[in-house]
């Protein structure tokens, strides 16, 4: 017997779908990816005026907004694409979703009815255009809420208190400070807001035709959830904006079943009316599952629009440096995460500056002498989250601006070194790192990673662990509801390719050179940060 499960990942620059098939053979079952597709926002939805999924920050205030209607249009377009590609959606048992973290969608009093009454004869975009109390959604790239972060921090008793309560200090992109800014700047629109969703709860709300709760994985990225109780913290809600508790549904567990697919999707695209929907989670918690990090011992790195470094935690452990976050893991446990904003866009900036192809970019790295003769780039092409840099500006030490190879090497060595350096507090010396995200297909980048971390690096057949993780979460929820006690560990074990040719091993000489490089980088970064205080 075969069953299918779908994962949808609504990320910054694209919306992607992953379908897995479970094949039962006697008392054993195994699963594999049978379909993937991705719709890039620049390519398909530039009519929203976005670049790389985000509206231009014309005022230069550090705001990063995206139109929620673009995500709606992308969702329907993905179903049209699956239909055109001949995917049989009738055997999909359950859909799991993931979204870029922290981004919020503000719905008015008409949203519930509009979602519940969607007609298959009209488009989603047409039918949902009136449901917003705020036209554009703040997303994780936003750095405009320092004032609100300070206000919430003070009300809650200081940075350490906020971190102990919510799992993170107040960060500009987190949803709580964003809600506070919205309330302060447009109290009338805030008052008209009936429901606040995260991107990760908005997408499954459309699929199920009813507003669904936020899960504890992504809820932890708001500075609003009590991290140990996995419930809203009323102190944090009060410190953020009046009446906020009435705009949020209670937090839910990621592995519950939240509903079934709405008639819009079953009638229009042939999904079975009993196809289940589970609560959405953040793209990083979803990647944790997709990469198989359901127990300690291995580190995960995602090289996407943001670069993130994460690890499974059985219990919440707070970062003494205040730079990392504790989020919920979809397994019911926790994860530690560091987020670097200058990920793929910084790599692309260097590639574009020297008009390189990705092949040229890689060959620059393959010829590089590790440590770049101590030439250093601090790659703050945009503002940065770790370390906190609120004004963009690339700083170069000893780098020749006309030397493409030196710049390529400098940006990659800086990114990997920064990740290793800022995760030292975790005290992990991983033997293996599992990687995902678009740039995880680049072997030369993985070689630098292996050398900087002195660890083996393994990738997957898919570069979208978040979509895969959501499909696996859907599978787990259905098996659990049917009384089959299959562990996440069993479900995820087959997706990492452990064959010899997929392992990028550290090279002893390069490891030593990059260890020395890390100390020089540490000094330069400290000096730079001291200079911008
Ligand atoms: C994590 C974060 C980013 C977004 C990108 O805290 O801000 O990784 O989730 O999608």
């Amino acid at each position: 017997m075969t069953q299918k499960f779908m994962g949808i990942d609504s990320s910054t620059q694209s919306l992607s779908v992953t379908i897995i098939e479970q094949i039962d053979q006697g008392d054993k079952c195994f699963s594999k990816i049978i379909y993937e597709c991705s719709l890039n926002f620049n390519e398909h939805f530039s009519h929203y005026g976005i670049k790389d999924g985000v509206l231009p920050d014309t005022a230069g205030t550090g705001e990063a907004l995206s139109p929620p209607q673009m995500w709606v249009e992308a969702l329907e377009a993905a179903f049209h694409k699956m239909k055109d590609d001949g995917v049989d959606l009738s055997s999909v048992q359950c859909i799991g979703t993931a979204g870029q973290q922290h981004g919020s969608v503000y719905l008015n009093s008409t949203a519930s009815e509009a979602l519940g009454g969607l007609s298959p004869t009209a488009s989603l975009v047409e039918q949902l255009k009136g449901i917003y109390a705020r036209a554009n959604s703040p997303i994780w790239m936003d750095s405009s809420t320092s004032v609100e972060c300070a206000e919430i921090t003070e009300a809650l008793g200081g940075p350490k208190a906020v971190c102990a309560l919510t799992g993170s200090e107040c960060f500009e992109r987190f949803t709580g400070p964003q809600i506070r800014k919205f309330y302060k700047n447009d109290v009338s629109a805030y008052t008209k807001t009936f429901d606040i969703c995260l991107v990760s709860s908005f997408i499954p709300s459309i699929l199920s035709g009813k507003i669904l709760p936020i899960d504890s994985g992504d809820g932890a990225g708001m500075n609003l959830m009590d991290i140990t109780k996995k419930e809203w913290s009323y102190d944090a809600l009060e410190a953020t904006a009046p009446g906020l508790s009435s705009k949020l549904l209670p937090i839910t567990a990621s592995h519950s079943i939240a509903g079934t697919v709405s008639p819009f999707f079953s009638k229009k695209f042939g999904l079975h009316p009993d196809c289940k929907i589970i609560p959405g989670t953040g793209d990083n918690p979803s990647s944790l599952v997709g990469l198989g990090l359901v127990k300690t011992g291995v580190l995960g790195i995602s090289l996407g629009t943001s670069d993130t470094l994460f690890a499974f935690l059985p219990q919440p452990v707070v970062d003494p440096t205040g730079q990392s976050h504790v989020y919920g893991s979809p397994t019911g446990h926790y994860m530690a995460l560091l987020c670097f904003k200058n990920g793929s866009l910084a790599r692309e900036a260097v590639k574009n500056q020297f008009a390189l192809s990705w092949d040229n970019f890689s060959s620059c790295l393959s010829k590089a002498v590790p440590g770049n003769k101590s030439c250093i780039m601090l790659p703050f092409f945009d503002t940065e989250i770790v370390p906190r840099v609120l004004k963009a500006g690339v700083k170069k030490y000893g780098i020749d601006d006309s030397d493409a190879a030196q710049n390529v090497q400098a940006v990659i060595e800086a990114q990997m070194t920064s990740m290793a350096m800022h995760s030292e507090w975790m005290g992990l010396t991983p033997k293996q790192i599992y990687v995902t995200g678009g740039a995880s297909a680049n072997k030369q980048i993985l070689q630098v990673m292996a050398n900087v971390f002195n660890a083996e690096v393994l990738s997957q057949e898919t570069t979208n662990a978040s979509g895969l993780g959501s499909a696996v979460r859907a599978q787990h929820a259905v098996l659990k509801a049917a009384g089959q006690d299959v562990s996440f560990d069993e479900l995820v074990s087959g997706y990492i390719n452990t064959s010899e040719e997929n392992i990028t091993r550290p090279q002893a000489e390069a490891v030593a050179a990059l260890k020395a490089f890390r100390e020089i980088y540490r000094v330069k970064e400290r000096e730079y940060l001291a200079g911008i205080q």
Side-chain angles (χ1 to χ4, degrees), residues 11-12 99-102 140 173-174 283-284 306 308 325 327 337 339 385:
S11 71
T12 318
Q100 53 171 307
Q101 294 197 254
H102 319 294
W140 69 274
R173 70 193 194 285
F174 274 42
D283 51 1
N284 292 297
S306 62
T308 55
H325 317 297
Y327 296 150
L337 179 136
C339 179
I385 298 164

Side-chain angles (χ1 to χ4, degrees), residues 387-398:
R388 210 170 199 141
V389 175
L390 292 173
K391 196 167 178 298
V394 178
K395 181 83 185 153
K396 297 183 183 178
Y397 301 89

Side-chain angles (χ1 to χ4, degrees), residues 369-379 395-401 403 405-415 417 513-514 516-518 520-521 524:
V369 178
N372 215 1
K373 299 194 186 110
S374 305
C375 296
I376 283 180
M377 176 193 292
L378 300 179
K395 181 83 185 153
K396 297 183 183 178
Y397 301 89
I399 291 179
D400 175 354
D401 239 346
D403 187 336
Q406 205 183 36
N407 280 268
V408 167
Q409 184 182 357
V411 72
I412 299 300
E413 286 186 347
Q415 290 179 324
T417 299
L514 288 163
F517 177 84
R518 190 189 301 190
I520 305 170
Y521 189 91
K524 291 293 178 213

